[in-house]
Amino acid sequence: MSLKYEFYIGAEPQKVWELLVAPEGTKKTFFNCVLQSSFKAGEPFAYVGPGNDGDETVHVYGDILAYEPCKVLSYLEHPGPSYHTNHQELTSRVTFTLDTVGKCTKLTLVNDEWSDNHPSFQNAEGHWWMILSNIKTVAETGNTLDFGW
């Protein structure tokens, strides 16, 4: 199973990158979550924000696989503990890649290497569209999308 998305964004790679990794950026684009990490390969990360366990709910966690500023962010992820009792057994790989195309940034997301029968696949399939659309909108206009939540 694999999910792949490509977006062309009318903004510099640095601006798009900040929306992927900086606390102010991820709060706007990842449903009010902050990406907590040292961004060193092999070290842990977590997306933390409001949810089932209060304001510090761990939505996704795992280990950084690759980090090259304004180019690549890749990690092996697990759903947060409040989502599935077997969260440690459930994995997928997420890779964001940024490329300059003319005066645009091409953002490619590949979410693959899903563990067998991963219950979050369909949820991810729908939510990535929302997150990536929000990244594009914020990068180009400064405004977030209102999903009615």
Side-chain angles (χ1 to χ4, degrees):
M1 296 187 302
S2 180
L3 301 170
K4 182 177 181 180
Y5 307 87
E6 295 178 335
F7 275 67
Y8 291 85
I9 302 171
E12 297 290 324
Q14 180 65 38
K15 190 170 194 174
V16 177
W17 188 254
E18 289 172 6
L19 295 173
L20 290 173
V21 300
E24 312 80 42
T26 60
K27 276 186 140 182
K28 288 180 182 176
T29 58
F30 284 81
F31 307 120
N32 240 357
C33 288
V34 172
L35 175 54
Q36 299 176 348
S37 179
S38 68
F39 299 109
K40 294 179 183 171
E43 294 204 5
F45 80 91
Y47 283 97
V48 179
N52 296 340
D53 297 328
D55 288 342
E56 296 294 313
T57 298
V58 174
H59 294 277
V60 176
Y61 72 96
D63 295 306
I64 299 290
L65 299 173
Y67 182 86
E68 185 180 345
C70 297
K71 294 285 183 191
V72 176
L73 170 63
S74 183
Y75 50 79
L76 185 67
E77 69 172 10
H78 306 274
S82 68
Y83 293 103
H84 304 286
T85 55
N86 64 336
H87 59 94
Q88 293 174 323
E89 301 166 17
L90 302 171
T91 59
S92 73
R93 179 178 65 180
V94 174
T95 303
F96 295 97
T97 306
L98 301 183
D99 294 295
T100 300
V101 178
K103 293 186 179 183
C104 298
T105 299
K106 179 182 176 187
L107 170 59
T108 303
L109 166 67
V110 176
N111 190 182
D112 61 1
E113 296 187 7
W114 291 83
S115 55
D116 290 338
N117 300 312
H118 197 306
S120 298
F121 180 81
Q122 284 213 282
N123 189 40
E125 192 173 27
H127 280 106
W128 279 130
W129 284 111
M130 298 169 87
I131 291 168
L132 295 169
S133 295
N134 209 16
I135 289 170
K136 178 174 173 53
T137 300
V138 173
E140 292 177 347
T141 70
N143 299 315
T144 59
L145 296 174
D146 182 353
F147 294 112
W149 302 338

Coordinates of all heavy atoms in Angstrom, one line a residue, residues 7-78:
F7 N 2.1 18.4 -5.0 CA 1.5 19.7 -5.0 C 2.5 20.7 -5.5 O 3.7 20.7 -5.1 CB 1.1 20.1 -3.6 CG -0.3 19.6 -3.2 CD1 -0.5 18.3 -3.0 CD2 -1.3 20.5 -3.0 CE1 -1.8 17.8 -2.6 CE2 -2.6 20.1 -2.6 CZ -2.8 18.7 -2.4
Y8 N 2.1 21.7 -6.3 CA 3.0 22.8 -6.7 C 2.5 24.0 -6.0 O 1.3 24.3 -6.0 CB 2.9 23.0 -8.3 CG 3.5 21.8 -9.0 CD1 2.8 20.7 -9.3 CD2 4.9 21.9 -9.4 CE1 3.4 19.6 -9.9 CE2 5.5 20.8 -10.0 CZ 4.7 19.7 -10.3 OH 5.3 18.6 -10.9
I9 N 3.4 24.6 -5.3 CA 3.1 25.7 -4.3 C 3.8 27.0 -4.8 O 5.0 26.9 -5.0 CB 3.5 25.3 -2.9 CG1 2.8 24.0 -2.5 CG2 3.2 26.4 -1.9 CD1 3.2 23.4 -1.2
G10 N 3.1 28.1 -4.8 CA 3.7 29.3 -5.2 C 4.4 30.0 -4.1 O 3.9 31.1 -3.6
A11 N 5.4 29.4 -3.6 CA 6.2 29.9 -2.4 C 7.6 29.3 -2.5 O 7.8 28.2 -3.1 CB 5.5 29.6 -1.1
E12 N 8.5 29.9 -1.9 CA 9.9 29.4 -1.8 C 10.0 28.2 -0.9 O 9.2 28.0 0.0 CB 10.8 30.5 -1.2 CG 10.9 31.8 -2.0 CD 11.7 31.6 -3.3 OE1 12.7 30.8 -3.3 OE2 11.3 32.2 -4.3
P13 N 10.9 27.3 -1.2 CA 11.1 26.1 -0.4 C 11.2 26.3 1.1 O 10.6 25.6 1.9 CB 12.3 25.4 -1.0 CG 12.4 25.9 -2.4 CD 11.9 27.3 -2.3
Q14 N 11.9 27.4 1.5 CA 12.1 27.7 2.9 C 10.7 27.9 3.6 O 10.5 27.4 4.7 CB 13.0 28.9 3.1 CG 13.2 29.4 4.5 CD 14.0 28.3 5.3 OE1 14.9 27.7 4.8 NE2 13.6 28.1 6.6
K15 N 9.8 28.6 2.9 CA 8.5 28.9 3.5 C 7.7 27.6 3.7 O 7.1 27.3 4.7 CB 7.8 29.9 2.6 CG 6.5 30.4 3.3 CD 5.9 31.5 2.4 CE 4.9 32.3 3.2 NZ 4.4 33.5 2.5
V16 N 7.8 26.7 2.6 CA 7.1 25.5 2.7 C 7.7 24.6 3.8 O 7.0 23.9 4.6 CB 7.1 24.7 1.3 CG1 6.4 23.4 1.4 CG2 6.4 25.6 0.3
W17 N 9.0 24.6 3.9 CA 9.7 23.8 4.9 C 9.3 24.2 6.3 O 9.1 23.3 7.1 CB 11.2 23.9 4.7 CG 12.0 23.0 5.6 CD1 12.7 23.3 6.7 CD2 12.2 21.6 5.4 NE1 13.3 22.2 7.2 CE2 13.0 21.2 6.4 CE3 11.8 20.7 4.4 CZ2 13.4 19.8 6.6 CZ3 12.1 19.4 4.6 CH2 12.9 18.9 5.6
E18 N 9.2 25.5 6.5 CA 8.8 25.9 7.9 C 7.4 25.4 8.2 O 7.1 25.2 9.4 CB 8.9 27.4 8.0 CG 10.3 27.9 8.0 CD 10.5 29.4 7.8 OE1 9.5 30.1 7.9 OE2 11.6 29.9 7.7
L19 N 6.5 25.3 7.3 CA 5.2 24.8 7.5 C 5.2 23.3 7.8 O 4.3 22.7 8.5 CB 4.3 25.1 6.3 CG 4.0 26.5 6.1 CD1 3.2 26.7 4.8 CD2 3.3 27.2 7.2
L20 N 6.3 22.6 7.4 CA 6.4 21.2 7.7 C 7.1 20.9 9.0 O 6.8 19.8 9.6 CB 7.3 20.5 6.6 CG 6.6 20.4 5.2 CD1 7.6 19.9 4.2 CD2 5.4 19.5 5.3
V21 N 8.0 21.8 9.5 CA 8.7 21.4 10.7 C 8.7 22.4 11.8 O 8.9 22.0 13.0 CB 10.2 21.1 10.3 CG1 10.3 20.0 9.3 CG2 10.9 22.4 9.8
A22 N 8.5 23.7 11.6 CA 8.5 24.7 12.6 C 7.2 24.7 13.4 O 6.1 24.4 12.9 CB 8.7 26.1 12.0
P23 N 7.3 24.8 14.8 CA 6.1 24.8 15.6 C 5.0 25.7 15.1 O 3.8 25.3 15.1 CB 6.6 25.2 17.0 CG 8.0 24.9 17.0 CD 8.5 25.1 15.6
E24 N 5.3 26.9 14.7 CA 4.2 27.8 14.2 C 3.6 27.3 12.9 O 2.4 27.5 12.7 CB 4.8 29.2 14.0 CG 5.7 29.8 15.0 CD 7.1 29.3 15.0 OE1 7.7 29.1 14.0 OE2 7.6 29.0 16.1
G25 N 4.4 26.7 12.1 CA 3.9 26.1 10.8 C 3.1 24.9 11.0 O 2.0 24.8 10.4
T26 N 3.5 24.0 11.8 CA 2.8 22.7 12.0 C 1.5 23.0 12.7 O 0.5 22.3 12.5 CB 3.6 21.6 12.7 OG1 4.0 22.1 14.0 CG2 4.8 21.2 11.8
K27 N 1.5 23.9 13.6 CA 0.2 24.2 14.3 C -0.9 24.7 13.3 O -2.0 24.4 13.4 CB 0.4 25.3 15.4 CG 0.9 24.8 16.7 CD 1.0 25.9 17.7 CE 0.5 25.4 19.0 NZ 0.4 26.4 20.1
K28 N -0.4 25.4 12.3 CA -1.4 25.9 11.3 C -1.8 24.8 10.3 O -2.9 24.8 9.8 CB -0.7 27.1 10.5 CG -0.6 28.4 11.2 CD 0.1 29.4 10.3 CE 0.3 30.7 11.0 NZ 1.0 31.7 10.2
T29 N -0.9 23.9 10.0 CA -1.1 23.0 8.9 C -1.4 21.5 9.3 O -1.9 20.8 8.5 CB 0.0 23.0 7.9 OG1 1.2 22.7 8.6 CG2 0.2 24.4 7.3
F30 N -1.0 21.2 10.5 CA -1.2 19.8 11.0 C -2.2 19.7 12.2 O -1.9 19.2 13.2 CB 0.1 19.1 11.4 CG 1.0 18.7 10.3 CD1 1.8 19.6 9.6 CD2 1.0 17.4 9.8 CE1 2.6 19.3 8.5 CE2 1.8 17.0 8.8 CZ 2.6 17.9 8.1
F31 N -3.3 20.4 12.0 CA -4.4 20.3 12.9 C -4.0 20.7 14.4 O -4.4 20.0 15.3 CB -5.1 18.9 12.9 CG -5.5 18.4 11.6 CD1 -4.9 17.2 11.0 CD2 -6.4 19.1 10.8 CE1 -5.3 16.8 9.8 CE2 -6.8 18.6 9.6 CZ -6.3 17.5 9.1
N32 N -3.3 21.7 14.5 CA -2.9 22.3 15.8 C -1.8 21.5 16.5 O -1.6 21.7 17.7 CB -4.1 22.5 16.7 CG -4.3 24.0 17.1 OD1 -3.5 24.8 16.7 ND2 -5.3 24.2 17.8
C33 N -1.1 20.6 15.8 CA 0.0 19.8 16.4 C 1.3 20.5 16.2 O 1.5 21.2 15.2 CB 0.0 18.4 15.8 SG -1.4 17.4 16.2
V34 N 2.2 20.2 17.1 CA 3.6 20.6 17.0 C 4.5 19.3 16.8 O 4.2 18.3 17.4 CB 4.0 21.3 18.3 CG1 5.5 21.6 18.3 CG2 3.2 22.6 18.5
L35 N 5.4 19.4 15.9 CA 6.3 18.4 15.6 C 7.5 18.5 16.6 O 8.3 19.4 16.5 CB 6.8 18.4 14.2 CG 7.9 17.4 13.7 CD1 7.5 16.0 14.0 CD2 8.2 17.6 12.3
Q36 N 7.6 17.5 17.5 CA 8.7 17.5 18.5 C 9.8 16.6 18.1 O 9.5 15.4 17.9 CB 8.1 17.1 19.9 CG 7.1 18.1 20.4 CD 6.5 17.6 21.7 OE1 6.7 16.5 22.2 NE2 5.7 18.5 22.4
S37 N 11.0 17.1 17.9 CA 12.1 16.2 17.4 C 13.4 17.0 17.4 O 13.4 18.2 17.3 CB 11.8 15.8 16.0 OG 12.9 15.0 15.5
S38 N 14.5 16.3 17.5 CA 15.8 16.8 17.3 C 16.2 16.9 15.8 O 17.2 17.5 15.4 CB 16.9 16.0 18.0 OG 17.0 14.7 17.4
F39 N 15.4 16.2 15.0 CA 15.6 16.1 13.6 C 16.9 15.4 13.2 O 17.5 15.7 12.2 CB 15.4 17.4 12.9 CG 14.1 18.0 13.1 CD1 13.9 19.1 13.9 CD2 13.0 17.5 12.5 CE1 12.6 19.7 14.1 CE2 11.7 18.0 12.7 CZ 11.5 19.1 13.5
K40 N 17.3 14.5 14.0 CA 18.5 13.7 13.7 C 18.1 12.3 13.4 O 17.2 11.7 14.0 CB 19.5 13.7 14.9 CG 20.1 15.0 15.2 CD 21.0 15.0 16.4 CE 21.5 16.4 16.7 NZ 22.2 16.4 18.0
A41 N 18.7 11.7 12.3 CA 18.3 10.4 11.9 C 18.5 9.4 13.0 O 19.5 9.4 13.7 CB 19.2 9.9 10.7
G42 N 17.5 8.5 13.2 CA 17.5 7.5 14.3 C 16.9 8.0 15.6 O 16.7 7.2 16.5
E43 N 16.6 9.3 15.7 CA 16.1 9.8 16.9 C 14.6 9.9 16.8 O 14.0 10.0 15.7 CB 16.7 11.1 17.3 CG 18.2 10.9 17.6 CD 18.8 12.0 18.5 OE1 18.1 12.9 18.9 OE2 20.0 12.0 18.7
P44 N 13.9 10.0 18.0 CA 12.4 10.0 18.0 C 11.8 11.3 17.5 O 12.5 12.4 17.6 CB 12.1 9.7 19.4 CG 13.2 10.1 20.2 CD 14.4 9.9 19.3
F45 N 10.6 11.3 17.2 CA 9.7 12.5 16.9 C 8.3 12.1 17.4 O 8.0 11.0 17.6 CB 9.7 12.8 15.4 CG 8.7 12.0 14.6 CD1 7.4 12.4 14.4 CD2 9.1 10.7 14.1 CE1 6.5 11.6 13.8 CE2 8.2 9.9 13.5 CZ 6.9 10.3 13.3
A46 N 7.5 13.2 17.5 CA 6.1 13.0 17.8 C 5.4 14.3 17.4 O 5.9 15.4 17.5 CB 5.9 12.8 19.3
Y47 N 4.2 14.1 16.8 CA 3.2 15.2 16.6 C 2.3 15.2 17.8 O 1.6 14.2 18.1 CB 2.4 14.9 15.3 CG 3.1 15.2 14.0 CD1 3.7 14.1 13.3 CD2 3.2 16.5 13.5 CE1 4.4 14.4 12.1 CE2 3.9 16.7 12.3 CZ 4.5 15.6 11.6 OH 5.1 15.9 10.5
V48 N 2.3 16.3 18.5 CA 1.6 16.5 19.8 C 0.7 17.7 19.7 O 1.1 18.7 19.2 CB 2.6 16.6 20.9 CG1 1.9 16.8 22.3 CG2 3.6 15.5 21.0
G49 N -0.5 17.5 20.1 CA -1.5 18.6 20.1 C -2.8 18.1 20.7 O -3.0 17.0 21.2
P50 N -3.8 19.0 20.7 CA -5.1 18.7 21.2 C -5.7 17.4 20.7 O -5.6 17.1 19.5 CB -6.0 19.9 20.9 CG -5.1 21.0 20.5 CD -3.8 20.3 20.0
G51 N -6.3 16.6 21.5 CA -6.9 15.3 21.1 C -7.5 14.5 22.2 O -7.9 15.0 23.2
N52 N -7.6 13.2 22.0 CA -8.2 12.3 22.9 C -7.7 12.3 24.3 O -8.4 12.1 25.3 CB -8.1 10.8 22.4 CG -8.8 10.6 21.1 OD1 -9.7 11.3 20.7 ND2 -8.4 9.5 20.4
D53 N -6.4 12.6 24.5 CA -5.7 12.7 25.8 C -5.5 14.1 26.3 O -4.6 14.3 27.1 CB -4.4 11.9 25.7 CG -4.6 10.4 25.4 OD1 -5.7 9.9 25.8 OD2 -3.7 9.8 24.8
G54 N -6.2 15.1 25.8 CA -6.1 16.5 26.2 C -5.1 17.2 25.2 O -4.9 16.8 24.1
D55 N -4.6 18.3 25.7 CA -3.8 19.2 24.9 C -2.4 18.6 24.4 O -1.8 19.1 23.5 CB -3.5 20.5 25.6 CG -4.8 21.4 25.6 OD1 -5.7 21.1 24.8 OD2 -4.8 22.3 26.4
E56 N -2.0 17.6 25.1 CA -0.7 17.0 24.9 C -0.8 15.6 24.3 O 0.0 14.7 24.5 CB 0.2 16.9 26.1 CG 0.5 18.3 26.6 CD 1.5 19.1 25.7 OE1 2.5 18.5 25.2 OE2 1.2 20.3 25.4
T57 N -1.9 15.4 23.5 CA -2.1 14.0 22.9 C -1.0 13.8 21.8 O -0.7 14.6 21.0 CB -3.5 14.0 22.2 OG1 -4.5 14.2 23.2 CG2 -3.7 12.7 21.5
V58 N -0.4 12.6 21.9 CA 0.5 12.1 20.9 C -0.3 11.5 19.8 O -0.9 10.4 19.9 CB 1.5 11.1 21.4 CG1 2.4 10.6 20.3 CG2 2.4 11.8 22.5
H59 N -0.4 12.2 18.6 CA -1.2 11.7 17.5 C -0.4 10.7 16.6 O -0.9 9.7 16.2 CB -1.6 12.9 16.6 CG -2.6 13.7 17.3 ND1 -3.9 13.4 17.4 CD2 -2.4 14.9 18.0 CE1 -4.5 14.4 18.1 NE2 -3.6 15.2 18.5
V60 N 0.9 11.0 16.4 CA 1.8 10.1 15.7 C 3.2 10.2 16.3 O 3.6 11.3 16.7 CB 1.8 10.5 14.2 CG1 2.8 9.7 13.4 CG2 0.5 10.4 13.5
Y61 N 3.9 9.1 16.3 CA 5.3 9.1 16.8 C 6.1 8.1 16.1 O 5.6 7.2 15.4 CB 5.3 8.8 18.4 CG 5.0 7.4 18.7 CD1 6.0 6.5 18.9 CD2 3.7 6.9 18.7 CE1 5.7 5.2 19.2 CE2 3.4 5.6 19.0 CZ 4.4 4.7 19.3 OH 4.1 3.4 19.5
G62 N 7.4 8.2 16.3 CA 8.3 7.2 15.6 C 9.7 7.7 15.6 O 10.2 8.4 16.6
D63 N 10.4 7.4 14.5 CA 11.9 7.7 14.4 C 12.1 8.4 13.1 O 11.6 8.1 12.0 CB 12.7 6.5 14.5 CG 12.6 5.8 15.8 OD1 12.9 6.5 16.8 OD2 12.2 4.6 15.9
I64 N 13.0 9.4 13.2 CA 13.4 10.2 12.0 C 14.3 9.2 11.1 O 15.3 8.6 11.7 CB 14.2 11.5 12.3 CG1 13.3 12.4 13.1 CG2 14.8 12.1 11.1 CD1 12.2 13.0 12.4
L65 N 14.1 9.2 9.8 CA 14.9 8.4 8.9 C 15.9 9.3 8.2 O 17.0 8.9 7.9 CB 14.0 7.6 7.9 CG 13.1 6.6 8.5 CD1 12.1 6.0 7.4 CD2 13.8 5.5 9.2
A66 N 15.4 10.5 7.7 CA 16.3 11.4 7.0 C 15.7 12.8 7.2 O 14.5 13.0 7.4 CB 16.2 11.1 5.5
Y67 N 16.7 13.7 7.3 CA 16.4 15.1 7.5 C 17.4 16.0 6.8 O 18.6 16.0 7.2 CB 16.3 15.5 9.0 CG 16.0 16.9 9.3 CD1 14.6 17.3 9.4 CD2 16.9 17.9 9.4 CE1 14.3 18.6 9.6 CE2 16.6 19.2 9.7 CZ 15.2 19.5 9.8 OH 14.9 20.8 10.1
E68 N 17.0 16.6 5.7 CA 17.9 17.6 5.0 C 17.1 18.8 4.8 O 16.1 18.9 4.0 CB 18.3 17.0 3.7 CG 19.3 17.9 2.9 CD 19.7 17.3 1.6 OE1 19.5 16.1 1.3 OE2 20.3 18.0 0.8
P69 N 17.4 19.9 5.6 CA 16.5 21.1 5.5 C 16.2 21.6 4.1 O 17.1 21.6 3.2 CB 17.4 22.1 6.3 CG 18.2 21.3 7.2 CD 18.5 20.0 6.5
C70 N 15.0 21.9 3.9 CA 14.4 22.4 2.6 C 14.5 21.4 1.5 O 14.3 21.8 0.3 CB 15.1 23.7 2.2 SG 14.8 25.1 3.4
K71 N 14.7 20.2 1.8 CA 14.8 19.1 0.8 C 14.0 17.9 1.2 O 13.1 17.5 0.4 CB 16.3 18.7 0.6 CG 17.2 19.7 0.0 CD 16.9 19.9 -1.5 CE 17.8 20.9 -2.1 NZ 17.5 21.3 -3.4
V72 N 14.4 17.2 2.3 CA 13.8 15.9 2.6 C 13.5 15.8 4.1 O 14.4 16.1 4.9 CB 14.7 14.7 2.2 CG1 14.1 13.4 2.6 CG2 14.9 14.7 0.7
L73 N 12.3 15.3 4.5 CA 12.0 14.9 5.8 C 11.4 13.5 5.7 O 10.3 13.4 4.9 CB 11.0 15.8 6.5 CG 10.4 15.3 7.8 CD1 11.5 15.1 8.9 CD2 9.4 16.3 8.3
S74 N 11.9 12.5 6.3 CA 11.4 11.1 6.2 C 11.4 10.5 7.6 O 12.3 10.7 8.4 CB 12.2 10.3 5.3 OG 11.6 9.0 5.1
Y75 N 10.3 9.8 7.9 CA 10.2 9.2 9.2 C 9.4 7.9 9.2 O 8.6 7.7 8.3 CB 9.7 10.1 10.3 CG 8.4 10.8 10.0 CD1 7.2 10.2 10.1 CD2 8.4 12.2 9.6 CE1 6.0 10.9 9.8 CE2 7.3 12.9 9.3 CZ 6.0 12.2 9.4 OH 4.9 12.9 9.1
L76 N 9.7 7.0 10.1 CA 8.9 5.8 10.3 C 7.9 6.1 11.5 O 8.3 6.5 12.5 CB 9.8 4.6 10.7 CG 9.1 3.3 10.8 CD1 8.6 2.8 9.5 CD2 10.0 2.2 11.4
E77 N 6.6 6.0 11.2 CA 5.6 6.4 12.2 C 4.7 5.3 12.7 O 4.5 4.3 12.1 CB 4.8 7.5 11.6 CG 3.8 7.0 10.5 CD 2.8 8.1 10.1 OE1 2.9 9.3 10.5 OE2 1.9 7.7 9.3
H78 N 4.2 5.6 13.9 CA 3.2 4.7 14.6 C 2.0 5.7 14.9 O 2.3 6.8 15.3 CB 3.7 4.1 15.9 CG 5.0 3.4 15.8 ND1 5.0 2.1 15.5 CD2 6.3 3.8 16.0 CE1 6.3 1.7 15.5 NE2 7.1 2.7 15.8

